Amino acid sequence: MSSAPTADRNPTQKSVEEPVSQWTGRKRHSDSKMHRNKDSAFTRAKGNRNPSLSSAMDSGLTWGRRGSSSSQGSASEREGEPESLPFVVGNCPDMCPARERAERERLRDLAVFERFYGNPRKTSSSLAVKKFCRTISSVHVHASDIRPLPVLQDTLAHLFNLLESSDQPFEVVHEFVFDRTRSIRQDLSMQNISGYEAVDMYEQMVMFHIKSHHKLLQRENVSTSSMHYLNLEQLKKSLKTLYDLYDVNRSSGFVSKHEAEFYSFHVLLHLGSNCQATGESLATWFWRLEPHLLKSKDLSFVRSVLRYFRINNFKQFFCMVAERASHLQLCLLEPLFNEVRAQALSSINHCGYKLHPYPLSHLAKLLMMKESDMESFCNLCGLETITDETGKKFLPTKQNSFNFPKGGHPMYNFERLWRGEFWLL
């Protein structure tokens, strides 16, 4: 994935690969209130702007300071970011700064979605979107290169519209949206925007990464495996920042109605033999949660799923998932289904009564698969099936050839995953 041209390295150059965890503390410096109050300068719903902030934006680059004595997180806890690193209030009116557009036209560095009538050397303010830049020098940052909140919101809507309307292959669209949403997170971080508008945007970007996680798994091959890994990495980083934003906004009285569901994603990323999250144990993580989150239906659901998975109660696991999982939760759970199914087959094969083969139709219903897929999955696990004189298929038990399937096996569909509009955000 290419990145935008960067300034020459110098001692003041800072790594801004991700929105840093400047929201780790429970309280923020009073200067950040201009971003998180509901009458924020950027809040279009009320149609007003803070006069002092407006004049600061109009006059050019405006600097603030990250961190304060009231912030509980140290500099090292914020991914090595010095507390003196300034933040800027941007005034770029377009999805891509004019200076970057001109440079990328000159270098023919335009994605297929940014080309004006397909011309690789021509774009427009309605097509070009600012690229993610891994390193940014505070010396060379201009307010005209940073997009304010309303522009970032419009840019995000433009990117997600491409997911619905583009006729390009999903991998091509994903690579473009993946890079440009990182740039949006970077601009949010550089301006220290942490209000409820930022919460909404981060929730949408987490949804994008979760749904991409599901789609990339469905077509995983050599060309998409690295995309899947990078997407999962950004999902975890986006969730971490979102949780920090939840904490910040809770102190000002705003609580997202989706908060509990998004906290449940952390648990689902810990499930399975190849869990996709690291850090503190789940027991410690649960202990640190707010009481209202622990009592929510989403956290109650994932705790039950976690319990049934660990004790290998596959029947209750699938019943619970089918009955109560949201679409996003299903997207994260699906990679776990084959692991649970293999454990179920192992139990039935080794514990079943030898003289009574297990009906394949019943097993398919129990594990929520098509019967034809059930037979294929049994074969994948090294088990043979038999057919009686009426054409019904059975799984003979006590077979010594059972083995847990390795990577690269097909993802057998779970019917509920295909209901509704996939990219409806």
Side-chain angles (χ1 to χ4, degrees):
M1 226 176 276
S2 60
S3 59
T6 59
D8 295 336
R9 289 186 177 272
N10 58 65
T12 61
Q13 197 171 51
K14 310 297 180 187
S15 174
V16 196
E17 179 178 354
E18 284 311 313
V20 291
S21 300
Q22 71 266 31
W23 302 292
T24 302
R26 292 296 183 264
K27 295 183 180 179
R28 298 298 302 146
H29 193 279
S30 59
D31 288 348
S32 68
K33 289 182 179 179
M34 64 183 180
H35 291 298
R36 61 180 168 87
N37 285 345
K38 291 190 177 181
D39 58 348
S40 164
F42 298 121
T43 308
R44 291 179 292 177
K46 293 188 177 181
N48 60 355
R49 296 177 66 187
N50 184 313
S52 61
L53 182 57
S54 176
S55 61
M57 289 177 62
D58 294 339
S59 63
L61 191 63
T62 304
W63 295 103
R65 291 288 172 183
R66 297 188 195 272
S68 70
S69 58
S70 66
S71 179
Q72 298 175 6
S74 66
S76 61
E77 288 173 335
R78 297 187 213 110
E79 300 181 9
E81 181 192 17
E83 292 197 8
S84 60
L85 182 63
F87 63 85
V88 60
V89 177
N91 59 22
C92 175
D94 302 319
M95 296 189 295
C96 182
R99 183 169 59 171
E100 180 182 325
R101 283 204 311 270
E103 179 71 4
R104 289 171 56 202
E105 283 181 332
R106 184 180 68 83
L107 297 174
R108 298 190 181 188
D109 185 20
L110 298 173
V112 64
F113 310 102
E114 301 174 309
R115 298 172 184 175
F116 191 70
Y117 289 105
N119 187 343
R121 301 187 64 174
K122 185 68 176 176
T123 188
S124 69
S125 60
S126 62
L127 293 175
V129 183
K130 181 181 177 182
K131 295 181 70 174
F132 170 73
C133 183
R134 185 170 296 276
T135 55
I136 292 181
S137 170
S138 59
V139 173
H140 295 91
V141 169
H142 300 278
S144 58
D145 295 328
I146 308 298
R147 298 160 293 181
L149 182 60
V151 178
L152 292 173
Q153 290 172 318
D154 291 341
T155 303
L156 192 62
H158 169 77
L159 293 173
F160 288 151
N161 183 60
L162 290 176
L163 291 167
E164 294 283 2
S165 60
S166 176
D167 56 358
Q168 295 290 327
F170 171 72
E171 291 83 356
V172 176
V173 186
H174 174 268
E175 185 173 9
F176 180 74
V177 177
F178 176 91
D179 178 83
R180 282 12 179 213
T181 51
R182 290 184 76 183
S183 177
I184 288 175
R185 285 152 53 195
Q186 194 173 59
D187 278 11
L188 287 170
S189 176
M190 292 184 68
Q191 296 174 92
N192 204 23
I193 298 174
S194 57
Y196 63 94
E197 305 98 331
V199 170
D200 178 68
M201 294 179 70
Y202 264 88
E203 286 180 344
Q204 293 185 62
M205 288 184 279
V206 167
M207 289 180 192
F208 160 70
H209 287 300
I210 290 177
K211 294 179 179 183
S212 295
H213 170 75
H214 171 255
K215 290 206 74 171
L216 289 170
L217 275 179
Q218 290 294 322
R219 57 185 73 194
E220 187 166 15
N221 50 47
V222 175
S223 64
T224 60
S225 58
S226 61
M227 294 175 65
H228 177 251
Y229 172 81
L230 292 172
N231 179 75
L232 206 51
E233 182 181 57
Q234 296 309 311
L235 166 59
K236 291 183 284 187
K237 290 182 177 182
S238 298
L239 271 176
K240 183 179 184 300
T241 303
L242 180 59
Y243 297 156
D244 292 336
L245 287 171
Y246 283 150
D247 288 341
V248 169
N249 284 274
R250 188 179 298 111
S251 65
S252 62
F254 170 74
V255 178
S256 169
K257 63 181 180 180
H258 306 297
E259 185 177 12
E261 182 182 8
F262 279 79
Y263 270 104
S264 74
F265 301 152
H266 177 82
V267 181
L268 298 181
L269 286 169
H270 273 79
L271 292 179
S273 57
N274 298 314
C275 71
Q276 307 296 343
T278 57
E280 64 184 355
S281 68
L282 279 179
T284 304
W285 185 84
F286 277 122
W287 181 82
R288 290 174 51 245
L289 285 183
E290 296 284 338
H292 77 278
L293 289 172
L294 280 174
K295 296 176 183 177
S296 67
K297 65 179 182 64
D298 286 292
L299 267 299
S300 296
F301 162 72
V302 293
R303 290 168 75 182
S304 296
V305 167
L306 176 63
R307 180 171 64 255
Y308 293 139
F309 174 77
R310 287 180 171 175
I311 66 175
N312 194 25
N313 189 335
F314 53 87
K315 180 178 180 180
Q316 289 299 323
F317 175 90
F318 281 113
C319 287
M320 178 71 70
V321 168
E323 180 182 348
R324 295 178 54 183
S326 70
H327 183 81
L328 292 171
Q329 289 166 340
L330 278 174
C331 287
L332 290 178
L333 279 165
E334 191 194 24
L336 193 67
F337 291 162
N338 279 358
E339 185 173 342
V340 176
R341 288 162 175 162
Q343 287 285 358
L345 280 184
S346 176
S347 299
I348 292 170
N349 178 61
H350 291 103
C351 302
Y353 186 55
K354 188 174 182 179
L355 299 180
H356 291 82
Y358 210 96
L360 219 58
S361 58
H362 183 224
L363 188 58
K365 185 177 180 180
L366 192 64
L367 302 183
M368 298 192 178
M369 301 174 71
K370 296 178 180 178
E371 188 171 345
S372 57
D373 288 342
M374 188 71 254
E375 182 177 19
S376 174
F377 187 68
C378 287
N379 298 151
L380 186 66
C381 293
L383 300 177
E384 296 182 356
T385 59
I386 59 174
T387 306
D388 67 7
E389 61 277 4
T390 64
K392 292 183 179 180
K393 296 184 178 181
F394 295 84
L395 173 68
T397 57
K398 307 296 185 183
Q399 297 185 50
N400 296 324
S401 56
F402 176 85
N403 60 77
F404 287 95
K406 306 297 182 183
H409 53 74
M411 299 290 294
Y412 297 97
N413 290 342
F414 191 79
E415 184 181 358
R416 274 196 57 205
L417 270 175
W418 305 103
R419 297 179 185 174
E421 289 294 329
F422 187 79
W423 288 110
L424 187 59
L425 299 179

